[in-house]
Amino acid sequence: MSMVYDEYGRPFIILKEQQAKNRVKGLEAQKSNILAAKSVSSVLRTSLGPKGMDKMLVDPDGDVTITNDGATILERMEVQHQVAKLLVELSQSQDNEIGDGTTGVVVLAGALLAQAEKLLDRGIHPVRVAEGYEAACKVALDTLGKIGDTVEFTKDNTEPLVTTAETTLNSKIINVNRRKMAEIAVNAVLSVADLDRKDVNFDMIKMEGKPGGRLEDTELVQGIVLDKEMSHPQMSKTIKDVKCALLTCPFEPPKPKTKHKLDITSKEAYDKLYEHEQAYFTKMIQQVKDSGANLVICQWGFDDEANHLLLQNKLPAIRWVGGVELELIAIATGARIIPRFSELSADKLGSCGQVREIAFGTTKEKMVVIEDCKNSSAVTCVVRGGNKMIVDEAKRSLHDAMCVVRNLVKDNRVVYGGGSAEIACSMAVSKHADSVMGTDQYAIRAFADALDDIPLALAENCGLSPIEELANVKSKQLAENNPFLGVDCNQSGTNNMKEQGVFETLIGKQQQLLLATQVVKMVLKIDDVISMGQYQ
Amino acid sequence: MGRPGIILLREGTDTSQGKPQLISNINACQAVAEAVKTTLGPRGMDKLVFDGRKVTISNDGATIMALLEIAHPAAKTLVDISMSQDAEVGDGTTSVVLLASEMLKQVKEFVEAGVHPQVLIRYMRQSAKLAVETVKKLAVPFEGEKGREMLLKCAGTALNSKLIASHQDLFAPMVVEAVSGLKSDLSDLNLIAVKKVPGGEVRSSFLVKGVAFKKTFSYAGHEQMTKKFIKPKILLLNVELELKSEKENAEVRITDPDQYQSIVDAEWSVIYEKLDKCVDSGANIVLSKLPIGDLATQYFADKGLFCAGRVDVGDMVRVGKATGAVIQTSTNGIAPEVIGNCGMFEEKRIGDERFNLFTECPSVETATIVLRGGSEQFIEESHRSMHDAIMVVKRSLKSQAIVAGGGAVEMEVAKVLREESLKIEGKGQLVMQSFARALEIVPRQLADNAGYDATDVLNALRKKHFHEQDGKWFGVDIKEGGICDTYEAGVWEPSINKINSLAAAGEAACVILSIDETVRNPKSEQPGAQPQAQQGRQGGGGMSGMMGNAMDIANNGARRGKLGHGVNYMKGRGGG
């Protein structure tokens, strides 16, 4: 900020470190903010849709991520600019709430801001623009509600869910196997879903990834997969009719928490101590045996001595199982977590049909699978793939697909994809614009234009001629009065998205519009930027 | 020749005095007001302030003033009045700064012309007093029947200029509901909690009549607990329920290995005794300010209880207020009367977070507002706006009188002052008139910010107020341009807001006018004396996340497992 001089020509300091502070005001501030936001959205623009491209991101440690998930890209980009950060948060909040459409929401916000810039150039007050957008957003939401369809599904008929999940997976790297992946996602969600309460607890779905094998080897395990192995290589690898004891105490003599010291003064005392220790071990094993357990899962480790004794007593054991996993196992097998050996009893054991240790390929990596649980609500997806990047991306994609299925379980209304919903909204909004008096009309129309940007980007990414395609679809929608027509990204010969089976959830779409409008309003309302140091 | 100079002050000390100093101070104040004036009113804009570490986007005068880090001694007075307005009324923090600086601007010419500042001060005081009296006279007391409606309108007006203005219909009733739930103690701000959950859409914000707080850090076993109770009994503790050494620095010496087991058993029995007492008290829900360990979690889960450890103090107090429970510092002798109860307890998922909700409480002494929004900045600003609205509603409940906003009341006061000034002989007449003109800054700025021709609007307003009997509530029409009856339009503000801002602005102006010399210690003037600012800049935005409280990171940070949201997160301790 420059110096201020009084009438007598003397400079005076008003703010702390005045020279170091930067200030951008008025239209200039809005323009610079819009530019920043636009450049973020232009990064994501090419990732939109089934033919969208992936981004490769290398973090400071040299780890590579390849993805086309909007939220992940923005998160890893480490955006510095303050307004651009708003867009990053925007996509993350779409991710947290809906889990899908994280790219679309940013592209839309970018388009809205680009349109707003033109209006600002014409001298329209930024707050008026924002208010116009809000009004237009309302119209668009109503339209979405009108063109929305409901999908009926039951536990037996999951076809509509699978189709929707497929739409989500379309744009991902794993789209070769989308049918299988979609089925995995649907089955996973449905096994933990509470259809009456319309609630899905994602904590019950675990995802494990192992590089190696093929994507096709990805499977859903009705039970829990632990990235662990039996504590001793000679223990039996498969156990049937398992009774397992879940322990949160280590397999060693108990230690008091208070600071203690054991003074050994004589050899006799030492021998006695040794005997005691031995007695502890045998007693512990005996207690486990007595309770009837044939598998021990322990949160902590146990030393070689205990391990040996367990092997001798034909008690397979798994050690170092994390708290969360232990909890999941407890829920799945109906077990109670046991804090000390003296509390072991038969009724606290969990039961399940089978526990087996599986090895992968030629590598030494092993996993323990706990299957056929009494309470089978916990499931695990084991994702396989050619390399770590594919596995990670597959995990993210599956997660997206599961989110979509969850949203459908919560609210079974859908709209059709391929930009059809946006085009329908855009037409409704621009029709509404004509009936509005005053400057708001311009803002509302700009909103309609911004909505067109999504099908444009879709067509562009598919290598179609965007403007021609959009014009065609629009005129067709109008002529046939059919809001299901969209951009035919897969070249399947029909524009009717309903026939193509391209579904998106209604709440996801609504959320996109609402969030984008909200953030755009926030950006537009800033007319003054005061910052320490450089603000680009 | 010449006398040796007398060195009175330390070398380098800057002194300036007399008229130039006064003018310089006035200029500084104007420069400050310049920074915030565009935030006034419904069409006001926001400021983005980046202090090297974190970003704030705000429209709230007091927040911006605080973030500007004003160093000029006289201009700091303006920051102070903005803060005091915030503390006292909660709203109108921008207009008070604007008024004070405008008053100074109007009397600047008198200072330049050589009028003694004390004369100015005397008549400024008189004018301010008169202005306050006029507002008091103008204020419309609201009747009991229409009370709620009035509160709604006041809350709406306070929210008008904020980012969430278009959701007034949602937030204004929410605020009114929350505040009117408080029965006794209106001044305690902590009784209305505002919880922020990023993500989701602003309209999914909601009010909990009772207490809601985020799921605390939990240990394995938490998922096995009962998550919903109808008419539960609640026990509040300030006790650590964990297996640990009872006394710090205590040491046990054992000579005989036989005694070993007894020590171990003793420790276990201590914790089990505590747990048993909690269960025996009949409570269904156990909350503790201190950690509740994995052993206790599993024990309670086994007995069908719900527990949460490391609950925030404020939340504990609110639960206490709502349910009638009393926080216990020991598990011994829990009397039935210290156990609270409520109609319903539930653990509920809100966005990506899980919340513990206590509702249908016997004495609704507290409320929680859960705010949602697209980004952190958005929620932060919503929070500030809600704070303003809550304060305004509280104030209007107390003062029970309102005036019309949109610059109407300022215009009317200006008119009264002008009339009154003609009765004064001498310089005072001019001073009072300039005071009146200073008041017009509010409507002028409102019109300016909205992009209307301020001069036209102001002239129309003056005409209305001077010539028409029923013109007293005419103010700027932000929606359509021009002027309108803002009382009819429902732009209402509590009269105490205006009274406070007039008085504070007048006071501040007088204080600044009375300064004729500044003596500045040389050190305080060095620019860039704060080395930390340098570091802050280099740290950039990426570091901001590191500054959080360690527990928050444990709660939030660790939850973000590598698999994506909600699929996996670390919890509890142990291997893996």
Side-chain angles (χ1 to χ4, degrees):
Chain A
M1 237 181 253
S2 57
M3 274 299 200
V4 187
Y5 295 94
D6 64 12
E7 259 112 286
Y8 299 85
R10 294 190 318 167
F12 60 93
I13 295 164
I14 299 175
L15 307 178
K16 236 184 223 170
E17 299 157 67
Q18 192 145 289
Q19 261 82 7
K21 275 188 177 142
N22 259 297
R23 185 166 179 199
V24 190
K25 274 204 295 189
L27 205 55
E28 199 189 330
Q30 272 140 3
K31 286 243 167 121
S32 109
N33 289 340
I34 289 176
L35 186 70
K38 263 167 48 184
S39 41
V40 170
S41 88
S42 71
V43 170
L44 288 191
R45 203 181 147 96
T46 54
S47 290
L48 194 73
K51 299 280 190 290
M53 304 300 277
D54 287 2
K55 309 276 172 226
M56 180 149 108
L57 304 145
V58 186
D59 73 1
D61 299 336
D63 283 344
V64 178
T65 311
I66 298 177
T67 181
N68 80 352
D69 180 51
T72 314
I73 298 173
L74 290 180
E75 195 186 320
R76 306 272 157 98
M77 271 194 354
E78 294 192 16
V79 174
Q80 283 286 328
H81 191 280
Q82 301 309 328
V83 170
K85 265 192 194 155
L86 286 179
L87 289 201
V88 177
E89 282 172 19
L90 166 73
S91 116
Q92 257 141 30
S93 100
Q94 173 85 10
D95 195 28
N96 291 346
E97 201 69 11
I98 305 295
D100 185 37
T102 52
T103 314
V105 69
V106 176
V107 173
L108 183 60
L112 283 172
L113 283 171
Q115 293 292 339
E117 196 179 7
K118 287 183 205 155
L119 297 180
L120 295 185
D121 281 340
R122 288 190 188 171
I124 297 181
H125 198 285
V127 178
R128 296 301 291 260
V129 176
E131 281 172 4
Y133 278 1
E134 275 180 338
C137 182
K138 223 172 239 164
V139 177
L141 290 182
D142 289 345
T143 317
L144 280 180
K146 265 181 237 155
I147 64 171
D149 239 354
T150 51
V151 286
E152 297 301 334
F153 63 89
T154 55
K155 278 231 162 179
D156 307 315
N157 175 22
T158 56
E159 194 51 37
L161 295 181
V162 177
T163 326
T164 318
E166 268 187 76
T167 310
T168 311
L169 293 174
N170 249 335
S171 59
K172 308 291 180 186
I173 210 167
I174 54 173
N175 62 3
V176 206
N177 297 320
R178 60 166 180 268
R179 178 78 205 175
K180 173 150 194 217
M181 290 297 190
E183 275 168 6
I184 289 179
V186 170
N187 288 338
V189 171
L190 284 183
S191 27
V192 302
D194 185 343
L195 287 182
D196 301 325
R197 272 182 62 211
K198 300 200 167 188
D199 189 36
V200 179
N201 188 356
F202 264 20
D203 294 342
M204 293 294 174
I205 303 176
K206 255 189 74 178
M207 266 204 239
E208 288 287 348
K210 277 272 173 197
R214 294 176 306 155
L215 263 179
E216 286 82 355
D217 296 335
T218 301
E219 58 175 340
L220 181 72
V221 178
Q222 293 287 346
I224 296 158
V225 177
L226 297 175
D227 195 0
K228 297 276 179 298
E229 52 189 300
M230 293 294 175
S231 63
H232 196 286
Q234 281 173 299
M235 286 175 181
S236 54
K237 302 279 188 257
T238 317
I239 314 156
K240 300 260 182 211
D241 298 324
V242 182
K243 294 265 175 216
C244 59
L246 305 183
L247 297 171
T248 51
C249 51
F251 246 100
E252 55 188 52
K255 283 197 193 92
K257 298 277 177 182
T258 313
K259 228 192 258 172
H260 61 282
K261 205 171 175 182
L262 188 55
D263 286 333
I264 306 287
T265 45
S266 63
K267 182 179 171 294
E268 287 72 37
Y270 185 81
D271 286 340
K272 208 168 168 191
L273 181 69
Y274 179 73
E275 269 167 39
H276 262 282
E277 242 177 54
Q278 292 302 312
Y280 265 124
F281 279 125
T282 27
K283 198 173 146 208
M284 282 189 290
I285 302 285
Q286 198 52 46
Q287 273 165 340
V288 177
K289 274 264 164 202
D290 287 349
S291 70
N294 55 4
L295 175 70
V296 178
I297 298 171
C298 185
Q299 192 177 13
W300 304 96
F302 23 87
D303 53 19
D304 290 342
E305 192 150 1
N307 205 2
H308 176 72
L309 278 170
L310 282 167
L311 179 68
Q312 275 190 338
N313 286 287
K314 302 221 161 37
L315 265 179
I318 308 166
R319 56 185 161 179
W320 294 120
V321 177
V324 179
E325 281 141 345
L326 206 65
E327 197 170 351
L328 272 176
I329 300 172
I331 293 169
T333 61
R336 287 289 173 191
I337 298 170
I338 299 157
R340 57 175 175 170
F341 284 95
S342 48
E343 285 170 35
L344 258 173
S345 63
D347 58 328
K348 289 190 173 174
L349 299 180
S351 58
C352 67
Q354 173 170 281
V355 172
R356 63 195 162 99
E357 188 188 82
I358 44 172
F360 291 101
T362 53
T363 54
K364 278 190 181 152
E365 296 196 56
K366 286 172 186 158
M367 280 184 167
V368 176
V369 182
I370 301 171
E371 286 172 313
D372 299 332
C373 301
K374 201 163 84 183
N375 176 359
S376 73
S377 61
V379 294
T380 308
C381 297
V382 186
V383 181
R384 308 297 311 274
N387 57 37
K388 195 169 167 290
M389 280 170 254
I390 298 256
V391 171
D392 286 345
E393 175 67 359
K395 271 196 207 167
R396 275 191 292 271
S397 314
L398 261 179
H399 178 244
D400 278 10
M402 285 181 200
C403 287
V404 170
V405 178
R406 173 192 65 180
N407 294 339
L408 276 182
V409 171
K410 276 187 183 162
D411 182 349
N412 64 350
R413 285 176 298 168
V414 293
V415 289
Y416 294 93
S420 64
E422 280 88 356
I423 296 174
C425 287
S426 153
M427 286 182 356
V429 170
S430 77
K431 203 170 152 201
H432 172 74
D434 297 338
S435 65
V436 176
M437 296 263 282
T439 29
D440 286 355
Q441 193 187 85
Y442 285 88
I444 294 174
R445 198 167 288 138
F447 191 91
D449 288 345
L451 280 174
D452 282 346
D453 212 46
I454 300 269
L456 278 179
L458 274 178
E460 210 173 288
N461 291 345
C462 301
L464 300 168
S465 160
I467 298 178
E468 213 174 297
E469 193 70 21
L470 177 67
N472 284 345
V473 176
K474 254 196 177 177
S475 71
K476 258 195 194 166
Q477 273 211 11
L478 199 65
E480 296 175 22
N481 196 16
N482 180 358
F484 304 145
L485 299 178
V487 178
D488 180 16
C489 296
N490 294 329
Q491 299 291 306
S492 55
T494 171
N495 284 101
N496 194 327
M497 293 296 142
K498 196 173 181 177
E499 282 170 26
Q500 277 200 25
V502 183
F503 295 148
E504 282 181 72
T505 53
L506 177 69
I507 38 175
K509 208 50 357 133
Q510 282 177 333
Q511 190 82 9
Q512 271 188 352
L513 292 180
L514 281 167
L515 284 177
T517 313
Q518 216 173 78
V519 165
V520 166
K521 180 173 186 190
M522 189 153 198
V523 174
L524 284 178
K525 262 194 103 182
I526 300 168
D527 81 327
D528 201 339
V529 175
I530 301 162
S531 62
M532 283 296 304
Q534 205 57 41
Y535 179 87
Q536 307 99 353
Chain B
M1 286 293 285
R3 293 166 300 175
I6 303 169
I7 298 173
L8 191 65
L9 301 168
R10 201 142 65 98
E11 199 182 345
T13 307
D14 170 54
T15 63
S16 53
Q17 49 180 283
K19 210 156 75 175
Q21 172 64 27
L22 203 49
I23 300 280
S24 153
N25 283 347
I26 292 176
N27 285 344
C29 292
Q30 274 168 255
V32 170
E34 200 75 18
V36 292
K37 72 176 188 188
T38 55
T39 63
L40 192 75
R43 292 269 200 275
M45 305 293 280
D46 291 1
K47 308 273 160 199
L48 186 152
V49 185
F50 176 53
D51 64 0
R53 290 185 305 275
K54 79 185 221 312
V55 177
T56 312
I57 298 177
S58 181
N59 173 288
D60 183 50
T63 311
I64 300 167
M65 296 289 274
L67 286 169
L68 279 177
E69 298 191 307
I70 287 168
H72 194 278
K76 265 190 181 159
T77 321
L78 293 189
V79 182
D80 290 345
I81 55 169
S82 176
M83 295 297 158
S84 85
Q85 177 84 8
D86 194 32
E88 197 58 34
V89 195
D91 191 30
T93 50
T94 309
S95 48
V96 68
V97 174
L98 214 55
L99 273 175
S101 97
E102 188 64 17
M103 285 171 191
L104 288 168
K105 187 177 161 195
Q106 293 295 341
V107 296
K108 194 164 109 183
E109 54 176 307
F110 298 128
V111 176
E112 279 167 341
V115 179
H116 196 279
Q118 287 302 342
V119 175
L120 294 174
I121 291 171
R122 188 188 331 144
Y123 288 107
M124 293 273 279
R125 289 232 162 95
Q126 199 184 328
S127 317
K129 207 173 135 205
L130 188 60
V132 168
E133 277 165 15
T134 318
V135 175
K136 278 187 185 153
K137 248 182 260 165
L138 280 172
V140 183
F142 74 87
E143 311 84 72
E145 289 273 302
K146 287 185 181 160
R148 196 183 146 80
E149 189 194 342
M150 181 221 79
L151 292 177
L152 277 177
K153 280 184 178 157
C154 286
T157 308
L159 289 173
N160 239 335
S161 60
K162 310 293 182 188
L163 203 54
I164 48 176
S166 47
H167 308 293
Q168 265 179 49
D169 54 324
L170 175 74
F171 287 110
M174 201 184 275
V175 169
V176 173
E177 195 86 350
V179 176
S180 29
L182 307 180
K183 275 168 209 145
S184 50
D185 197 4
L186 272 180
S187 58
D188 192 354
L189 243 187
N190 292 328
L191 289 182
I192 299 181
V194 180
K195 300 279 165 186
K196 296 170 269 189
V197 188
E201 196 262 321
V202 71
R203 292 202 75 91
S204 38
S205 308
F206 60 92
L207 173 81
V208 179
K209 279 181 162 182
V211 191
F213 59 89
K214 206 155 88 182
K215 172 179 164 284
T216 53
F217 186 81
S218 66
Y219 291 95
H222 185 82
E223 299 306 330
Q224 284 178 295
M225 288 198 241
T226 321
K227 298 293 177 57
K228 190 172 176 179
F229 288 101
I230 295 183
K231 293 205 181 287
K233 295 211 175 341
I234 298 147
L235 175 64
L236 302 182
L237 291 175
N238 190 7
V239 179
E240 202 169 339
L241 295 175
E242 216 168 350
L243 180 64
K244 57 156 198 151
S245 62
E246 277 304 307
K247 289 267 181 293
E248 290 291 316
N249 301 323
E251 196 180 299
V252 187
R253 270 172 197 272
I254 311 162
T255 43
D256 186 359
D258 288 334
Q259 298 163 349
Y260 194 79
Q261 183 65 39
S262 61
I263 298 285
V264 175
D265 287 343
E267 275 186 353
W268 282 85
S269 64
V270 167
I271 175 87
Y272 272 121
E273 201 179 314
K274 281 188 197 168
L275 296 179
D276 279 333
K277 276 181 182 148
C278 293
V279 175
D280 290 344
S281 70
N284 306 101
I285 296 167
V286 180
L287 302 181
S288 177
K289 231 187 275 188
L290 295 171
I292 293 183
D294 47 357
L295 175 68
T297 308
Q298 287 146 20
Y299 185 84
F300 286 139
D302 231 15
K303 307 272 181 208
L305 271 72
F306 178 88
C307 73
R310 290 203 180 109
V311 180
D312 185 63
V313 184
D315 291 327
M316 288 289 272
V317 172
R318 275 190 290 277
V319 174
K321 285 260 182 195
T323 63
V326 183
I327 300 175
Q328 299 295 302
T329 46
S330 153
T331 48
N332 292 322
I334 299 170
E337 58 267 22
V338 300
I339 289 180
N341 63 302
C342 73
M344 172 94 146
F345 166 81
E346 198 179 358
E347 187 189 275
K348 214 174 169 183
R349 181 173 288 269
I350 300 170
D352 217 19
E353 315 267 11
R354 283 194 275 171
F355 268 74
N356 298 321
L357 302 178
F358 295 85
T359 44
E360 297 166 31
C361 302
S363 53
V364 190
E365 281 276 321
T366 146
T368 310
I369 293 170
V370 179
L371 284 179
R372 311 292 317 272
S375 73
E376 209 188 314
Q377 295 295 343
F378 190 93
I379 297 195
E380 286 296 325
E381 177 64 2
S382 311
H383 183 184
R384 279 189 289 270
S385 315
M386 289 305 270
H387 167 83
D388 282 12
I390 290 171
M391 290 297 279
V392 165
V393 172
K394 274 188 181 174
R395 271 291 153 189
S396 11
L397 257 182
K398 256 190 181 166
S399 72
Q400 314 236 322
I402 56 115
V403 292
V409 67
E410 282 86 357
M411 286 309 289
E412 188 62 19
V413 173
K415 176 197 120 184
V416 173
L417 284 179
R418 280 209 179 89
E419 279 168 358
E420 207 63 29
S421 73
L422 297 176
K423 298 177 192 157
I424 301 173
E425 260 180 60
K427 291 172 189 148
Q429 189 185 64
L430 293 172
V431 178
M432 196 174 274
Q433 272 176 2
S434 62
F435 193 96
R437 204 172 323 131
L439 292 178
E440 288 173 357
I441 184 70
V442 175
R444 190 185 312 142
Q445 195 61 48
L446 279 176
D448 245 356
N449 286 350
Y452 302 127
D453 189 330
T455 323
D456 275 355
V457 171
L458 218 56
N459 286 336
L461 279 177
R462 279 199 200 121
K463 179 166 169 276
K464 204 83 187 170
H465 280 265
F466 266 90
H467 295 292
E468 284 173 39
Q469 262 308 310
D470 52 355
K472 66 173 179 178
W473 292 134
F474 267 76
V476 184
D477 184 349
I478 303 290
K479 273 208 182 95
E480 306 293 332
I483 58 171
C484 72
D485 190 329
T486 50
Y487 185 84
E488 292 291 317
V491 184
W492 294 3
E493 289 178 68
S495 60
I496 187 136
N497 179 353
K498 288 292 161 200
I499 291 171
N500 200 58
S501 70
L502 281 172
E507 262 327 295
C510 291
V511 166
I512 289 166
L513 282 175
S514 66
I515 302 166
D516 79 331
E517 177 161 349
T518 313
V519 180
R520 216 190 289 220
N521 190 302
K523 203 180 159 198
S524 69
E525 212 184 319
Q526 269 172 24
Q530 245 76 14
Q532 70 184 69
Q534 283 290 334
Q535 292 171 0
R537 203 186 313 165
Q538 298 200 336
M543 291 292 286
S544 58
M546 310 287 284
M547 312 296 285
N549 151 329
M551 212 42 241
D552 277 351
I553 292 179
N555 270 336
N556 307 325
R559 291 195 47 156
R560 305 271 141 110
K562 284 213 170 127
L563 301 184
H565 304 297
V567 179
N568 190 14
Y569 55 89
M570 285 163 62
K571 193 167 60 175
R573 59 179 193 211

